[in-house]
Structures are given as C-alpha cells and as structure tokens.
Amino acid sequence: MSSGDPWTYIAARPLHNWSEWHGGELSWVKAIEIANWPALVTAIIATEALGGTFSLGYLRASWVRAVFFAILTTLQWLSAGFVVDRAIRKRRSSRSAV
C-alpha cells in the first residue's frame, strides 16, 4: 500500500509513504498507524463492501472510510483498555488474597 492508492485516503487525507524519499510520517505517528492497522484494514474492507472507491468516488469513499475507521478504532481501543483493566484488577485481587 502506498499513499497513492485510493484505499489509503482517510477523510480526504492520504497516509504518507514511509520511504526516505518522501519523508514519511514522524516515528510516533508510524507507531500509532501500526497499532491501528486492524481497524484500518477492516474499514477498507467495509468501504469496499459498500461499493468501493470506484463506485463511490474518491472523496465520498474516503469519508465513508473515515467514519468506519473512527468507529472501529474506538472499539479497538476500548477493547484493549478493557483487557488491560481486567488484567490489572485480576492481579490486584490475587495480591490481596495472599
């Protein structure tokens, strides 16, 4: 995938290439993009299932993808927070039982 691919446009903004030639994103942005990869791929698949970039048009498809991406990343991070919170609570309860 590169920033020239139509399915990498989120809310009319292309994800930048990570190549040295184009400069790419900052390191912390790359880390967040990698962490959000499952939500991004799912948003791309959902947008394509609705008709895809070529039938919706680049701009409309990018905004549909942005809505899917916002919903999916929220669910992804809420799930991750739930798992971490549960692990912390379980660890604290096992300490207090000793």
Side-chain angles (χ1 to χ4, degrees), residues 25-43:
E25 300 282 10
L26 298 173
S27 296
W28 68 271
V29 175
K30 290 178 187 180
I32 292 171
E33 286 180 356
I34 290 170
N36 287 331
W37 188 252
L40 177 62
V41 170
T42 307

Side-chain angles (χ1 to χ4, degrees), residues 33-69:
E33 286 180 356
I34 290 170
N36 287 331
W37 188 252
L40 177 62
V41 170
T42 307
I44 291 169
I45 292 169
T47 304
E48 294 302 312
L50 282 179
T53 302
F54 298 107
S55 65
L56 294 172
Y58 290 121
L59 185 61
R60 183 177 293 155
S62 76
W63 281 101
V64 169
R65 192 174 304 108
V67 170
F68 280 131
F69 185 61

